[in-house]
Amino acid sequence: MAHPYHHALSSVKKWGGAVEDYLEIHSWYDQSKELIADFRHRALRHHAQGIWQSEAIFGPTITLSTGRIIPTRWVGEQHVREDLGFIPSFADWVKAIRPEPWMGRTEKIEAQVDPHMAPPIVEVA
């Protein structure tokens, strides 16, 4: 797996500037390695919605140390393409997750918490 530093070097080669201009964004994409230290960490942010999320966090553009302004999306798209070869959707990741029984277990709490669904209280005098 590429390190964020190497992704940042690739960004410098593409758009100029310095490694430090890109390192925070590339590190954000790979921060999920703290949860799982193999390629599955990518399911959290390496997809189209993750690219949009990075734009919401880092802003629509970044200003490089050279003064050049580039879209944050470009950096995210570059990162995901370098790791996966294309930009998947989140649905692409979900389709690859094998459902397990525990994932669908839910307790029916509606009658316990919704006063409109609970049986009426009958007062005995």
Side-chain angles (χ1 to χ4, degrees):
M1 281 190 280
H3 188 277
Y5 173 75
H6 297 109
H7 284 292
L9 284 173
S10 180
S11 295
V12 169
K13 190 174 180 180
K14 240 179 186 3
W15 300 296
V19 166
E20 294 75 25
D21 296 335
Y22 305 98
L23 199 52
E24 186 177 10
I25 297 171
H26 289 299
S27 294
W28 178 83
Y29 277 93
D30 288 342
Q31 188 177 13
S32 52
K33 286 180 185 174
E34 71 185 6
L35 302 172
I36 186 162
D38 65 30
F39 64 87
R40 293 175 293 177
H41 85 90
R42 295 174 177 158
L44 190 62
R45 296 181 176 162
H46 286 59
H47 45 70
Q49 195 279 332
I51 293 168
W52 282 94
Q53 187 179 10
S54 72
E55 192 177 56
I57 292 168
F58 298 104
T61 61
I62 61 170
T63 302
L64 305 180
S65 54
T66 59
R68 183 177 181 192
I69 298 171
I70 65 163
T72 304
R73 290 192 61 72
W74 289 2
V75 180
E77 290 169 352
Q78 171 223 335
H79 187 110
V80 174
R81 280 192 182 109
E82 286 176 351
D83 280 353
L84 301 175
F86 75 110
I87 299 171
S89 69
F90 181 69
D92 294 323
W93 282 101
V94 171
K95 286 187 286 190
I97 296 174
R98 183 172 39 108
E100 296 286 342
W102 63 265
M103 296 174 182
R105 287 192 193 116
T106 58
E107 184 181 342
K108 304 286 187 220
I109 65 165
E110 294 85 354
Q112 298 172 18
V113 297
D114 187 340
H116 300 289
M117 292 183 72
I121 300 173
V122 179
E123 291 186 32
V124 178

